[in-house]
Amino acid sequence: MSEPLLEVRDLSMTIGGRRRRRTILRDVSLRLDAGRTLGLVGESGSGKSMTARSILRLLPAGARTEGTVRFDGASLPDLSPAQLRRVRAHEIAMVFQDPRAHVNPVRTIGDFLTEALVLNDGVAAAEARDRARAGLADVGLSEPDRRLDQHPHELSGGMLQRVMIAAALLARPRLLLADEPTTALDVTTQSEVMAIVDELRRELGTAMLFITHDLELAAAVCDELAVMYAGEIVERAPAAQLVSSPRHPYTAALLAARPSVERRRARMATVGGRPIAAYEAGSGCSFAPRCPHAEERCRTAQALRPLGTAEVRCCRAEELETAAAERGEEAVR
Amino acid sequence: MSAVVAEGLRKVYDVRDADGRRRPFAAVAGASFTVERGGSLGIVGESGSGKTTLARMLAGLEPPSGGRLEVCGRERTGVSPGASERRRRARELQIVFQDPYTSLNPRHTVATCLDEVLRVHLDDPSRERRAERVLELLAQVGLDERHARSRPRALSGGQRQRVAIARALAASPEVIVLDEAVSALDVSIQAQILDLLDEIRARTKTTYLFISHDLGVVRQVTDELIVMRGGEIVERGATAAVLDAPRHPYTQLLRRSVPGPGWRPRRRSAERAAATNERGDHGWDA
Amino acid sequence: MNALALRRRPLAATSDGGAAPLRLGTGAKVALAVVALLALVALLAPVIAPYDPDKQDLLNIHAGPSADHLLGTDQLGRDILSRLIWGARPSLAGPLVVVLAATAVGVPLALAAGWWGGAVDTVVGRALDLLFAFPGILLAVLAVAMFGSGMVPCVIALAIAFVPLIARVTRSAVLGVRGAPYIAAAEVVGVPTARIWLRHLLPNVAPIVIAQATVAFGYALIDLAVLSFLGFGVQGTTPDWGMMVNAQQSIVQGHPDQAVWAGVLIVVAVSAVSYLGTHLTDRHHRDGRDA
């Protein structure tokens, strides 16, 4: 097997002071090949954003991590600040949920887009501006010339997010970390923005780690999906398969909980309780307290183990699947 | 009898354009609709559609600039109402807001929050009766005595939204306006609250006005549907009919944009994108 | 839109319950202790002062520190320590009255302006701006010119001058809370307006009002001390720190002791109170961010 572009192995993370350390991530492992897309899906507190941030070492104060993060063979935690800056400038780009919080409100869009090119790559100002203009046209912004001289407040959220995407892809990175890039946008704008990301990413051969709470959106744009719960990956599988036949009860519950545009259901909720964070989890399966299928042996720690083309962190995965098949329906759904 | 009748309801704001000139901006440009008692009307739209302004006008938080609003057969006029009229209106219509983190006073316990409403609305507002009713209301929304003594910061988002629903129910209203009431919740919690809303309506025959940007959620909890865009109603009908066979191009676009099995994100044609962006510039409803 | 941002809020806030107790940093604790000590000294002056502050001993003027007079005596042979202790009373009570009066007037004005907005806000706002442009000391000097010297005209003039200081901050706090959905919910649910003010609005602006009042106390203390120094404030033989700083006669004769001690006390009191006020303001803003 060839070397993956990104490989995270047994990544754990704790935050807090000496007295009260809190676990945020537990043994997160994932791999992403060049040009491929992986969706990291979960609810609040699942650790999906922290996973992405810890790759670029954008960590909250007092955070401690263990485990390996390798990008193109190099261990990211071991890089010097200068090397890390170079990786951020050229290799790995990030797009955040709230574009307005990540852009200087008093600089123009043009300044924002060209700054990195001029400073990092020594590109001449005029050429940088040409490239910025082309980037804006690529993300479907009308009148790119006028946009370059506008300020962030003159653009709507959807337009600004497109600017962020243009900025992220301007350096032709090999990996894009997209952290809920469309969550703050209207659904029609979301469709547009995701289409643009997908198209440009393919053209440039950029791999993407897509972080979202929306399982169906992730399934539509990713090759593979990993579902996180309480700081752990509970299931990983090819996207289509994960959505059509989930193996972990939590994945099934997430799918069932999303109301469908196509039909009304008699009841929505299949699990009670609320999603928990890693530090609230006990020693056994972290989903067991909410799981309708939990039994005695779920009280012991569960490992992420291979199951067909998937990996699942549930000791009952096979039986549940068989039971569902016997009833002639999809697992637990 | 109709629970809510709106005729040509308008809200016009004075805004400054790029040159600093004042000009009128119609957040809601004439909305007319009727909701029958016990019915559930969904109002969907994206940011800038005017749906939140509409909700605030219905709740009396924003005086309409024009048109007529009738709730439970009584006309609501813009004049600021006195105490007894406010009490009466409260028993007609309540509102549940989007954000469970700011819709509860951080300093009050859950019991205090509900008790305050019961003081105003119970026929027998004795201390014992109020305490009893607080527990009844909490039970209705799936909470118990322990939660009664908690302050909001000790509760999860879902629990807070249950408290907000209980507060609305405390006035025993005929109509509840739910303004993006499940949008801020995690999916697994959202499912629980949707079930709860279903139960409450089945038991109390409360009328719902459900404002949302989420077509799936609207399908789950409403019978009738209005689609708003740029302050105007562009399509209306039975929820199932509108979502299964949308007629207006904008509704079709909305429907196509919802991810689901086999869905791919799509780029719109350039001129349509430009038309939407033009409205998006103003950032209303945000 | 903003709702979706909320979904991503960390769960940390949900794990502990109840209202946070008043937690202060070490510096603020020290400042609070200093303020408490000064207040205690003022209250217990009759008990702890070794001498009558007005008792003269003309045979023993400008005495240095001794076992009998720990800080020595002044130009009339009065015990400096006792005068400092008794001086705490007008020196601290003056600013206290100024701040309480300014708060009593400023807070209702701010509530009205912030709650009703529109014309009420405009009128109140303009009036406050006008007043704010007038330095408190100048107003006090004017009052003294019209009504004669003394503590009362000075305190009244300063109280009026301090109204905008309290009201402006309160108004912006009210505006912040006014827009909170829980206020809207209380309105829709039919809670009487007076009760909304008392139960929802006031408690939630109180922390910032208290913080600002504390800061104002420090300003008032200095202003009153300056007025006393100038001879407009406390009259006659009553001891007051500001007046003691102005013991020109003694200083000229090479005995600056009482002026130095009174000056030190003013600096200590103002520093402690201001530190406390700033700390409370900062903490309020910090809490506001993650509440």
Side-chain angles (χ1 to χ4, degrees):
Chain A
M1 205 191 278
S2 67
E3 174 97 350
L5 179 69
L6 174 73
E7 186 178 28
V8 176
R9 201 180 296 152
D10 300 326
L11 179 68
S12 295
M13 178 176 151
T14 58
I15 57 166
R18 246 165 309 158
R19 250 175 299 167
R20 215 162 51 151
R21 285 212 76 77
R22 285 177 154 175
T23 308
I24 300 298
L25 298 175
R26 287 184 297 177
D27 297 333
V28 173
S29 297
L30 43 91
R31 56 174 287 155
L32 181 55
D33 290 324
R36 304 280 290 171
T37 49
L38 172 65
L40 211 50
V41 184
E43 296 179 282
S44 39
S46 64
K48 55 188 191 300
S49 280
M50 281 302 178
T51 304
R53 283 166 180 267
S54 57
I55 290 169
L56 271 187
R57 309 218 49 83
L58 298 169
L59 300 172
R64 257 182 251 154
T65 59
E66 271 171 50
T68 54
V69 179
R70 301 182 77 80
F71 177 79
D72 200 18
S75 169
L76 291 183
D78 298 330
L79 293 186
S80 69
Q83 288 169 316
L84 190 62
R85 254 199 313 280
R86 203 153 55 234
V87 168
R88 286 180 184 165
H90 297 284
E91 311 275 2
I92 308 181
M94 190 152 182
V95 178
F96 299 90
Q97 175 180 351
D98 179 7
R100 236 170 264 283
H102 292 91
V103 55
N104 185 342
V106 300
R107 313 275 315 266
T108 64
I109 301 299
D111 288 345
F112 172 72
L113 286 169
T114 55
E115 187 174 42
L117 284 178
V118 174
L119 288 181
N120 296 332
D121 303 347
V123 176
E127 195 205 326
R129 201 177 155 91
D130 283 344
R131 280 171 63 180
R133 187 183 303 117
L136 290 182
D138 283 345
V139 294
L141 277 183
S142 56
E143 305 177 71
D145 247 326
R146 191 165 68 91
R147 304 288 177 212
L148 285 176
D149 297 323
Q150 283 185 318
H151 286 87
H153 71 266
E154 295 173 76
L155 270 57
S156 69
M159 292 157 86
L160 203 55
Q161 192 61 296
R162 284 187 244 199
V163 171
M164 304 306 278
I165 290 163
L169 296 178
L170 221 48
R172 303 178 170 265
R174 286 198 286 160
L175 174 62
L176 177 66
L177 303 176
D179 187 358
E180 305 251 14
T182 59
T183 303
L185 306 180
D186 279 325
V187 62
T188 53
T189 316
Q190 161 173 291
S191 173
E192 175 108 5
V193 167
M194 282 321 299
I196 289 164
V197 170
D198 201 43
E199 196 181 298
L200 295 178
R201 185 192 69 71
R202 280 170 201 280
E203 274 172 27
L204 298 172
T206 302
M208 176 168 73
L209 185 64
F210 181 55
I211 289 101
T212 181
H213 64 278
D214 190 335
L215 200 42
E216 275 164 335
L217 178 63
V221 295
C222 296
D223 303 315
E224 260 199 337
L225 298 181
V227 177
M228 291 191 74
Y229 187 81
E232 295 178 316
I233 290 179
V234 295
E235 180 170 2
R236 189 202 54 73
Q241 180 193 326
L242 186 128
V243 176
S244 64
S245 52
R247 302 293 177 88
H248 194 284
Y250 176 64
T251 313
L254 261 191
L255 281 165
R258 181 70 206 119
S260 157
V261 208
E262 269 146 29
R263 59 182 195 285
R264 180 179 203 154
R265 265 174 289 184
R267 266 191 78 78
M268 287 297 307
T270 54
V271 296
R274 63 171 174 89
I276 55 168
Y279 59 81
E280 296 173 286
S283 57
C285 166
S286 53
F287 186 60
R290 300 175 73 194
C291 182
H293 311 287
E295 53 180 39
E296 196 52 40
R297 60 186 158 133
C298 299
R299 291 177 188 228
T300 56
Q302 307 285 317
L304 191 65
R305 61 198 174 86
L307 185 70
T309 47
E311 282 182 307
V312 62
R313 200 185 286 273
C314 172
C315 57
R316 300 199 60 197
E318 291 92 342
E319 329 163 30
L320 295 173
E321 196 190 6
T322 339
E326 275 164 15
R327 272 183 283 123
E329 48 180 269
E330 293 167 351
V332 218
R333 211 178 164 176
Chain B
M1 196 174 90
S2 303
V4 177
V5 179
E7 275 173 24
L9 216 50
R10 291 166 55 75
K11 182 72 198 183
V12 182
Y13 293 103
D14 254 3
V15 295
R16 277 179 201 283
D17 55 22
D19 313 324
R21 272 192 309 255
R22 283 174 173 274
R23 62 179 176 84
F25 171 82
V28 177
S32 303
F33 57 86
T34 306
V35 200
E36 296 307 315
R37 282 236 162 124
S40 176
L41 173 75
I43 300 175
V44 292
E46 298 186 297
S47 42
S49 65
K51 59 187 195 302
T52 293
T53 308
L54 188 58
R56 292 183 63 85
M57 284 196 284
L58 291 169
L61 292 167
E62 201 88 67
S65 318
R68 206 173 72 84
L69 176 64
E70 193 186 293
V71 180
C72 298
R74 296 190 322 119
E75 188 95 7
R76 290 200 172 186
T77 53
V79 198
S80 67
S84 69
E85 171 64 13
R86 282 182 59 206
R87 204 153 53 230
R88 194 161 168 198
R89 288 184 180 187
R91 290 178 202 179
E92 291 166 356
L93 182 142
Q94 279 305 313
I95 185 164
V96 175
F97 294 101
Q98 174 178 30
D99 178 0
Y101 289 85
T102 57
S103 64
L104 301 174
N105 186 335
R107 288 169 192 279
H108 289 184
T109 64
V110 169
T112 312
C113 164
L114 299 179
D115 186 72
E116 177 177 75
V117 187
L118 296 172
R119 271 169 198 274
V120 184
H121 292 290
L122 271 191
D123 297 327
D124 163 26
S126 67
R127 181 187 286 273
E128 297 73 32
R129 179 70 195 112
R130 292 199 320 259
E132 197 184 330
R133 186 79 185 116
V134 164
L135 293 182
E136 282 172 24
L137 285 165
L138 287 179
Q140 271 192 50
V141 296
L143 299 174
D144 59 37
E145 213 170 331
R146 279 172 305 144
H147 302 112
R149 290 189 297 269
S150 309
R151 266 171 242 280
R153 58 181 291 157
L155 302 176
S156 68
Q159 289 171 330
R160 292 180 207 205
Q161 205 59 323
R162 286 173 192 267
V163 174
I165 292 169
R167 176 176 56 196
L169 291 174
S172 314
E174 299 276 340
V175 184
I176 300 184
V177 175
L178 297 131
D179 183 9
E180 297 273 15
V182 298
S183 311
L185 306 173
D186 273 317
V187 239
S188 63
I189 304 301
Q190 177 176 295
Q192 295 165 10
I193 301 292
L194 289 175
D195 283 346
L196 174 67
L197 290 173
D198 241 12
E199 277 165 38
I200 290 171
R201 186 155 81 103
R203 196 174 48 235
T204 60
K205 307 281 178 260
T206 310
T207 310
Y208 284 170
L209 262 119
F210 200 98
I211 286 141
S212 179
H213 68 280
D214 188 325
L215 297 187
V217 163
V218 161
R219 176 113 205 193
Q220 187 62 23
V221 290
T222 68
D223 309 327
E224 304 275 322
L225 191 61
I226 283 175
V227 181
M228 289 190 72
R229 187 191 184 198
E232 281 169 10
I233 296 175
V234 296
E235 183 161 357
R236 68 175 84 220
T239 303
V242 172
L243 293 182
D244 288 341
R247 279 166 304 167
H248 192 279
Y250 177 67
T251 319
Q252 290 166 355
L253 171 68
L254 268 185
R255 180 68 185 75
R256 270 206 311 278
S257 304
V258 178
W263 177 86
R264 300 286 311 164
R266 273 199 275 187
R267 271 176 112 141
R268 277 172 283 167
S269 62
E271 61 279 357
R272 181 170 285 155
T276 324
N277 287 338
E278 200 187 315
R279 281 212 69 92
D281 280 351
H282 303 298
W284 288 99
D285 255 26
Chain C
M1 315 241 344
N2 35 11
L4 294 158
L6 283 161
R7 187 186 314 216
R8 323 237 18 269
R9 218 166 251 201
L11 280 166
T14 65
S15 58
D16 51 51
L22 192 73
R23 271 193 295 258
L24 295 172
T26 319
K29 276 186 192 145
V30 172
L32 189 64
V34 169
V35 173
L37 185 71
L38 290 175
L40 209 65
V41 165
L43 278 175
L44 299 179
V47 184
I48 54 174
Y51 295 94
D52 178 339
D54 296 328
K55 189 173 156 251
Q56 304 184 356
D57 181 358
L58 293 172
L59 296 175
N60 197 14
I61 63 170
H62 290 317
S66 66
D68 283 345
H69 300 282
L70 285 176
L71 298 180
T73 59
D74 68 2
Q75 72 280 8
L76 296 174
R78 296 171 298 195
D79 181 49
I80 291 181
L81 178 62
S82 300
R83 287 186 69 74
L84 286 172
I85 289 173
W86 279 92
R89 292 190 146 191
S91 306
L92 297 179
L96 188 67
V97 173
V98 167
V99 167
L100 286 180
T103 307
V105 177
V107 168
L109 276 178
L111 283 177
W115 183 264
W116 282 299
V120 180
D121 193 22
T122 311
V123 171
V124 172
R126 290 282 148 77
L128 290 178
D129 284 347
L130 207 69
L131 208 53
F132 198 64
F134 240 89
I137 298 254
L138 208 63
L139 206 65
V141 170
L142 219 64
V144 167
M146 287 169 69
F147 304 107
S149 295
M151 192 73 164
V152 177
C154 287
V155 165
I156 293 176
L158 278 187
I160 293 172
F162 274 49
V163 166
L165 205 66
I166 303 286
R168 284 180 149 200
V169 170
T170 311
R171 176 185 164 274
S172 63
V174 169
L175 281 181
V177 179
R178 174 78 175 95
Y182 63 82
I183 299 277
E187 285 186 86
V188 175
V189 99
V191 176
T193 308
R195 195 180 157 86
I196 296 182
W197 278 38
L198 283 178
R199 305 274 301 166
H200 294 284
L201 208 51
L202 266 181
N204 282 295
V205 300
I208 194 71
V209 174
I210 291 169
Q212 181 70 0
T214 311
V215 172
F217 183 93
Y219 292 147
L221 204 161
I222 294 181
D223 286 359
L224 278 176
V226 168
L227 287 167
S228 291
F229 175 86
L230 295 174
F232 297 137
V234 174
Q235 297 299 307
T237 58
T238 327
D240 173 275
W241 296 345
M243 207 167 74
M244 288 172 76
V245 173
N246 181 23
Q248 298 156 355
Q249 206 186 337
S250 310
I251 297 169
V252 171
Q253 292 170 10
H255 300 285
D257 299 38
Q258 59 165 320
V260 170
W261 284 116
V264 165
L265 280 176
I266 290 171
V267 169
V268 167
V270 170
S271 308
V273 168
S274 302
Y275 187 88
L276 208 57
T278 316
H279 183 81
L280 287 174
T281 313
D282 287 352
R283 209 179 57 131
H284 176 80
H285 290 310
R286 222 174 23 246
D287 288 355
R289 264 210 308 280
D290 51 39

